[in-house]
Amino acid sequence: MNEETEGRRPNPVDLHVGGRVRMRRKLLGVSQEQLAESLGLTFQQVQKYERGANRVSASKLYEIAKTLQVPVSFFFDGLADPMGGSEADEVGLHAERVVQEFLTTPEGIELAEVFPRIGRGKVRRQVLDLVRAMADDSVRGDAA
């Protein structure tokens, strides 16, 4: 790698768009290979798009939107409106990132599908308490 590309960080918009591609793809149960094939790309190229390492051209984003059955604007949801003159709400951006990270894991998608089916609020809170305790224990275990 040369000096110009070695220290290059992905543009935040490219990261956001790539994350939205990944989230939608996973929600539909489409593999990177399947998406790549439908777009005439390699799965490595789809990986690069999803990581924000490569920018998605307008025509390719249009094809991705068509394949994943969403409007092109879906990929920009959660970003500040460039014409609005206001910055995106930090709390909203954080919440969007948390949901996006959660939904990029197979377990997250499955949990998101089944959790609302737990009818009793008390049981949902108990599940949440259990997950929090496991996460806290995991963090303490990493520090030890």
Side-chain angles (χ1 to χ4, degrees):
M1 262 189 204
N2 64 33
E3 285 182 39
E4 289 178 14
T5 58
E6 197 170 302
R8 182 180 155 250
R9 292 181 181 258
N11 181 290
V13 173
D14 297 330
L15 286 170
H16 183 84
V17 168
R20 300 283 293 177
V21 169
R22 180 177 49 246
M23 179 177 67
R24 180 63 181 172
R25 176 183 60 75
K26 287 190 170 246
L27 282 172
L28 292 177
V30 175
S31 71
Q32 287 179 331
E33 292 84 3
Q34 291 168 319
L35 179 58
E37 185 177 320
S38 71
L39 299 169
L41 300 171
T42 64
F43 82 92
Q44 291 95 337
Q45 184 62 46
V46 171
Q47 282 179 330
K48 289 178 181 181
Y49 286 161
E50 290 184 357
R51 285 194 329 257
N54 284 6
R55 290 188 175 141
V56 183
S57 70
S59 59
K60 198 55 75 178
L61 189 61
Y62 182 85
E63 288 181 50
I64 292 170
K66 195 168 143 184
T67 301
L68 298 179
Q69 304 165 2
V70 290
V72 173
S73 61
F74 168 85
F75 301 110
F76 300 96
D77 287 349
L79 289 175
D81 182 353
M83 298 306 292
S86 64
E87 290 301 312
D89 174 27
E90 284 300 315
V91 173
L93 285 175
H94 175 71
E96 175 77 21
R97 274 192 301 274
V98 168
V99 169
Q100 197 168 320
E101 287 176 23
F102 178 70
L103 292 176
T104 59
T105 66
E107 300 84 4
I109 291 171
E110 189 172 355
L111 276 170
E113 289 174 350
V114 299
F115 189 81
R117 290 191 229 153
I118 301 172
R120 295 179 48 212
K122 182 178 180 182
V123 174
R124 284 194 306 269
R125 283 188 296 281
Q126 289 172 333
V127 169
L128 181 59
D129 289 342
L130 173 65
V131 172
R132 277 189 193 125
M134 293 170 73
D136 289 347
D137 191 48
S138 176
V139 169
R140 280 193 297 270
D142 290 344

